[in-house]
Short mmCIF file of all heavy atoms in Angstrom, two decimals:
data_model
loop_
_atom_site.label_atom_id
_atom_site.label_comp_id
_atom_site.label_asym_id
_atom_site.label_seq_id
_atom_site.Cartn_x
_atom_site.Cartn_y
_atom_site.Cartn_z
N LYS A 762 -29.23 -13.70 42.44
CA LYS A 762 -29.18 -14.91 43.26
C LYS A 762 -30.28 -15.93 42.80
O LYS A 762 -30.04 -17.11 42.72
CB LYS A 762 -29.41 -14.57 44.71
CG LYS A 762 -29.38 -15.76 45.67
CD LYS A 762 -29.45 -15.29 47.15
CE LYS A 762 -29.38 -16.50 48.10
NZ LYS A 762 -30.59 -17.28 48.12
N GLU A 766 -29.73 -19.74 41.60
CA GLU A 766 -30.52 -20.85 42.16
C GLU A 766 -31.22 -21.66 41.11
O GLU A 766 -31.26 -22.92 41.16
CB GLU A 766 -31.53 -20.30 43.17
CG GLU A 766 -30.91 -19.80 44.45
CD GLU A 766 -31.93 -19.20 45.38
OE1 GLU A 766 -32.96 -18.67 44.93
OE2 GLU A 766 -31.73 -19.28 46.62
N THR A 775 -28.59 -28.87 45.10
CA THR A 775 -28.98 -27.98 46.23
C THR A 775 -27.74 -27.32 46.77
O THR A 775 -26.99 -27.92 47.54
CB THR A 775 -29.74 -28.79 47.30
OG1 THR A 775 -30.85 -29.43 46.71
CG2 THR A 775 -30.24 -27.84 48.41
N GLY A 776 -27.49 -26.12 46.37
CA GLY A 776 -26.25 -25.48 46.74
C GLY A 776 -26.30 -24.77 48.06
O GLY A 776 -27.37 -24.51 48.65
N GLU A 777 -25.12 -24.48 48.59
CA GLU A 777 -24.97 -23.66 49.80
C GLU A 777 -24.49 -22.28 49.40
O GLU A 777 -23.56 -22.15 48.61
CB GLU A 777 -23.98 -24.31 50.75
CG GLU A 777 -24.36 -25.69 51.21
CD GLU A 777 -23.29 -26.31 52.07
OE1 GLU A 777 -22.20 -25.66 52.23
OE2 GLU A 777 -23.46 -27.44 52.55
N PHE A 778 -25.12 -21.27 49.97
CA PHE A 778 -24.74 -19.87 49.65
C PHE A 778 -24.06 -19.23 50.86
O PHE A 778 -24.66 -19.22 51.97
CB PHE A 778 -25.97 -19.08 49.24
CG PHE A 778 -26.57 -19.51 47.92
CD1 PHE A 778 -27.47 -20.56 47.84
CD2 PHE A 778 -26.20 -18.89 46.75
CE1 PHE A 778 -28.01 -20.94 46.63
CE2 PHE A 778 -26.72 -19.26 45.53
CZ PHE A 778 -27.61 -20.32 45.48
N LEU A 856 -36.94 -15.73 64.80
CA LEU A 856 -35.71 -16.07 65.53
C LEU A 856 -34.88 -14.84 65.74
O LEU A 856 -34.88 -13.87 64.92
CB LEU A 856 -34.92 -17.07 64.68
CG LEU A 856 -35.64 -18.38 64.30
CD1 LEU A 856 -34.76 -19.15 63.31
CD2 LEU A 856 -35.95 -19.21 65.54
N LEU A 862 -24.59 -13.79 61.33
CA LEU A 862 -24.93 -15.17 60.95
C LEU A 862 -25.65 -15.19 59.63
O LEU A 862 -26.74 -14.61 59.49
CB LEU A 862 -25.82 -15.82 62.04
CG LEU A 862 -26.19 -17.29 61.79
CD1 LEU A 862 -24.96 -18.20 61.85
CD2 LEU A 862 -27.22 -17.74 62.83
N PRO A 863 -25.11 -15.86 58.59
CA PRO A 863 -25.82 -15.93 57.31
C PRO A 863 -27.11 -16.70 57.42
O PRO A 863 -27.19 -17.72 58.14
CB PRO A 863 -24.81 -16.66 56.40
CG PRO A 863 -23.48 -16.55 57.12
CD PRO A 863 -23.82 -16.51 58.57
N VAL A 864 -28.13 -16.25 56.68
CA VAL A 864 -29.41 -16.97 56.72
C VAL A 864 -29.27 -18.31 56.08
O VAL A 864 -30.09 -19.20 56.38
CB VAL A 864 -30.48 -16.10 55.99
CG1 VAL A 864 -30.80 -14.83 56.76
CG2 VAL A 864 -30.07 -15.79 54.56
N ALA A 865 -28.29 -18.49 55.24
CA ALA A 865 -28.09 -19.82 54.62
C ALA A 865 -27.76 -20.86 55.69
O ALA A 865 -28.24 -22.02 55.58
CB ALA A 865 -26.98 -19.78 53.61
N GLU A 866 -27.00 -20.50 56.70
CA GLU A 866 -26.69 -21.42 57.76
C GLU A 866 -27.93 -21.74 58.59
O GLU A 866 -28.10 -22.85 59.10
CB GLU A 866 -25.56 -20.86 58.65
CG GLU A 866 -24.25 -20.77 57.93
CD GLU A 866 -23.11 -20.40 58.84
OE1 GLU A 866 -23.26 -20.59 60.08
OE2 GLU A 866 -22.07 -19.90 58.36
N ILE A 867 -28.78 -20.74 58.79
CA ILE A 867 -30.04 -20.95 59.50
C ILE A 867 -30.92 -21.93 58.77
O ILE A 867 -31.50 -22.89 59.36
CB ILE A 867 -30.79 -19.61 59.75
CG1 ILE A 867 -29.94 -18.67 60.55
CG2 ILE A 867 -32.10 -19.83 60.44
CD1 ILE A 867 -30.52 -17.25 60.73
N GLU A 868 -31.01 -21.73 57.48
CA GLU A 868 -31.84 -22.65 56.68
C GLU A 868 -31.30 -24.08 56.69
O GLU A 868 -32.03 -25.03 56.75
CB GLU A 868 -31.94 -22.14 55.26
CG GLU A 868 -32.71 -20.83 55.09
CD GLU A 868 -32.77 -20.38 53.66
OE1 GLU A 868 -32.29 -21.12 52.77
OE2 GLU A 868 -33.29 -19.27 53.40
N THR A 869 -30.00 -24.21 56.70
CA THR A 869 -29.38 -25.52 56.76
C THR A 869 -29.77 -26.23 58.05
O THR A 869 -30.06 -27.45 58.06
CB THR A 869 -27.85 -25.42 56.62
OG1 THR A 869 -27.53 -24.79 55.41
CG2 THR A 869 -27.20 -26.79 56.68
N ALA A 870 -29.70 -25.48 59.18
CA ALA A 870 -30.08 -26.01 60.47
C ALA A 870 -31.49 -26.43 60.49
O ALA A 870 -31.90 -27.53 61.05
CB ALA A 870 -29.81 -24.99 61.57
N ILE A 871 -32.44 -25.65 59.94
CA ILE A 871 -33.85 -25.97 59.93
C ILE A 871 -34.09 -27.24 59.13
O ILE A 871 -34.85 -28.11 59.56
CB ILE A 871 -34.66 -24.79 59.37
CG1 ILE A 871 -34.58 -23.57 60.30
CG2 ILE A 871 -36.12 -25.21 59.11
CD1 ILE A 871 -35.25 -22.36 59.77
N ARG A 872 -33.44 -27.35 57.95
CA ARG A 872 -33.67 -28.55 57.17
C ARG A 872 -33.08 -29.80 57.83
O ARG A 872 -33.67 -30.88 57.74
CB ARG A 872 -33.00 -28.38 55.76
CG ARG A 872 -33.68 -27.31 54.93
CD ARG A 872 -33.11 -27.29 53.52
NE ARG A 872 -33.68 -26.14 52.76
CZ ARG A 872 -34.83 -26.14 52.13
NH1 ARG A 872 -35.59 -27.25 52.25
NH2 ARG A 872 -35.28 -25.09 51.47
N ALA A 873 -31.99 -29.63 58.52
CA ALA A 873 -31.37 -30.77 59.22
C ALA A 873 -32.35 -31.28 60.32
O ALA A 873 -32.42 -32.49 60.54
CB ALA A 873 -30.05 -30.37 59.80
N GLY A 874 -33.01 -30.38 61.01
CA GLY A 874 -33.93 -30.83 62.03
C GLY A 874 -35.29 -31.24 61.52
O GLY A 874 -36.03 -32.03 62.16
N GLY A 875 -35.71 -30.71 60.34
CA GLY A 875 -37.03 -30.95 59.85
C GLY A 875 -37.24 -32.34 59.32
O GLY A 875 -38.37 -32.85 59.34
N LEU A 879 -40.52 -32.05 56.68
CA LEU A 879 -40.39 -30.65 56.25
C LEU A 879 -40.38 -30.61 54.71
O LEU A 879 -39.47 -31.05 54.09
CB LEU A 879 -39.12 -30.04 56.81
CG LEU A 879 -38.85 -28.57 56.46
CD1 LEU A 879 -39.94 -27.69 57.06
CD2 LEU A 879 -37.48 -28.14 56.96
N ILE A 882 -39.42 -24.36 53.04
CA ILE A 882 -39.08 -23.33 54.00
C ILE A 882 -38.86 -22.05 53.23
O ILE A 882 -38.21 -22.02 52.17
CB ILE A 882 -37.79 -23.71 54.77
CG1 ILE A 882 -37.30 -22.53 55.62
CG2 ILE A 882 -36.70 -24.18 53.85
CD1 ILE A 882 -36.18 -22.91 56.55
N ARG A 883 -39.43 -20.91 53.75
CA ARG A 883 -39.27 -19.63 53.03
C ARG A 883 -39.03 -18.55 54.05
O ARG A 883 -39.74 -18.43 55.06
CB ARG A 883 -40.58 -19.33 52.27
CG ARG A 883 -40.82 -20.24 51.10
CD ARG A 883 -42.05 -19.88 50.34
NE ARG A 883 -42.38 -20.89 49.31
CZ ARG A 883 -43.49 -20.86 48.57
NH1 ARG A 883 -44.32 -19.85 48.71
NH2 ARG A 883 -43.67 -21.81 47.68
N LEU A 884 -38.05 -17.71 53.73
CA LEU A 884 -37.72 -16.54 54.57
C LEU A 884 -38.66 -15.41 54.15
O LEU A 884 -38.78 -15.10 53.01
CB LEU A 884 -36.26 -16.11 54.28
CG LEU A 884 -35.80 -14.84 54.98
CD1 LEU A 884 -35.70 -15.01 56.47
CD2 LEU A 884 -34.43 -14.41 54.39
N PHE A 885 -39.38 -14.78 55.15
CA PHE A 885 -40.27 -13.70 54.77
C PHE A 885 -39.99 -12.37 55.47
O PHE A 885 -40.60 -11.37 55.21
CB PHE A 885 -41.73 -14.13 54.99
CG PHE A 885 -42.14 -14.33 56.40
CD1 PHE A 885 -42.57 -13.24 57.24
CD2 PHE A 885 -42.18 -15.59 56.94
CE1 PHE A 885 -42.93 -13.46 58.53
CE2 PHE A 885 -42.59 -15.80 58.26
CZ PHE A 885 -42.97 -14.73 59.07
N VAL A 900 -34.99 -12.77 62.18
CA VAL A 900 -35.39 -13.41 60.92
C VAL A 900 -36.60 -14.24 61.15
O VAL A 900 -36.77 -14.88 62.20
CB VAL A 900 -34.21 -14.27 60.41
CG1 VAL A 900 -33.03 -13.41 59.97
CG2 VAL A 900 -33.78 -15.31 61.39
N ALA A 901 -37.50 -14.23 60.14
CA ALA A 901 -38.76 -14.97 60.29
C ALA A 901 -38.95 -15.88 59.08
O ALA A 901 -38.68 -15.51 57.93
CB ALA A 901 -39.93 -14.00 60.40
N TYR A 902 -39.36 -17.13 59.37
CA TYR A 902 -39.52 -18.14 58.35
C TYR A 902 -40.93 -18.72 58.38
O TYR A 902 -41.53 -18.79 59.45
CB TYR A 902 -38.52 -19.27 58.51
CG TYR A 902 -37.09 -18.97 58.18
CD1 TYR A 902 -36.23 -18.53 59.14
CD2 TYR A 902 -36.62 -19.11 56.87
CE1 TYR A 902 -34.90 -18.21 58.84
CE2 TYR A 902 -35.31 -18.83 56.56
CZ TYR A 902 -34.47 -18.40 57.51
OH TYR A 902 -33.16 -18.08 57.23
N LEU A 904 -42.68 -22.36 57.60
CA LEU A 904 -42.32 -23.77 57.40
C LEU A 904 -43.57 -24.54 57.03
O LEU A 904 -44.65 -24.33 57.63
CB LEU A 904 -41.71 -24.37 58.67
CG LEU A 904 -40.19 -24.13 58.99
CD1 LEU A 904 -39.93 -22.61 59.09
CD2 LEU A 904 -39.81 -24.83 60.25
N ILE A 925 -35.75 -29.09 65.40
CA ILE A 925 -35.33 -27.87 64.68
C ILE A 925 -34.79 -26.86 65.66
O ILE A 925 -33.79 -26.19 65.41
CB ILE A 925 -36.56 -27.30 63.88
CG1 ILE A 925 -36.90 -28.26 62.70
CG2 ILE A 925 -36.24 -25.91 63.36
CD1 ILE A 925 -38.15 -27.89 61.93
N LYS A 928 -31.28 -27.68 66.74
CA LYS A 928 -30.29 -27.35 65.70
C LYS A 928 -30.05 -25.84 65.65
O LYS A 928 -28.93 -25.35 65.46
CB LYS A 928 -30.77 -27.84 64.32
CG LYS A 928 -30.82 -29.36 64.21
CD LYS A 928 -29.40 -29.95 64.17
CE LYS A 928 -29.47 -31.45 63.95
NZ LYS A 928 -28.12 -32.07 63.96
N LEU A 929 -31.16 -25.06 65.84
CA LEU A 929 -31.01 -23.59 65.78
C LEU A 929 -30.23 -23.05 67.00
O LEU A 929 -29.46 -22.10 66.86
CB LEU A 929 -32.41 -22.93 65.76
CG LEU A 929 -33.16 -23.13 64.43
CD1 LEU A 929 -34.62 -22.60 64.58
CD2 LEU A 929 -32.48 -22.41 63.27
N LYS A 932 -26.65 -22.94 66.55
CA LYS A 932 -26.18 -21.81 65.71
C LYS A 932 -26.31 -20.49 66.46
O LYS A 932 -25.96 -19.44 65.94
CB LYS A 932 -27.02 -21.72 64.43
CG LYS A 932 -26.80 -22.92 63.50
CD LYS A 932 -25.40 -22.87 62.89
CE LYS A 932 -25.24 -24.01 61.88
NZ LYS A 932 -23.87 -24.00 61.31
N CYS A 934 -29.30 -19.30 67.77
CA CYS A 934 -30.58 -18.69 67.52
C CYS A 934 -31.53 -19.03 68.66
O CYS A 934 -31.52 -20.16 69.17
CB CYS A 934 -31.18 -19.21 66.20
SG CYS A 934 -30.15 -18.87 64.77
#
Side-chain angles (χ1 to χ4, degrees):
K762 181 173 181 286
E766 288 178 330
T775 304
E777 299 176 356
F778 292 85
L856 305 172
L862 182 65
V864 293
E866 295 187 19
I867 299 175
E868 291 180 6
T869 300
I871 294 175
R872 293 187 186 279
L879 181 62
I882 172 174
R883 293 182 187 175
L884 175 69
F885 67 84
V900 292
Y902 288 92
L904 279 60
I925 291 174
K928 293 290 184 180
L929 290 172
K932 295 291 183 180
C934 301

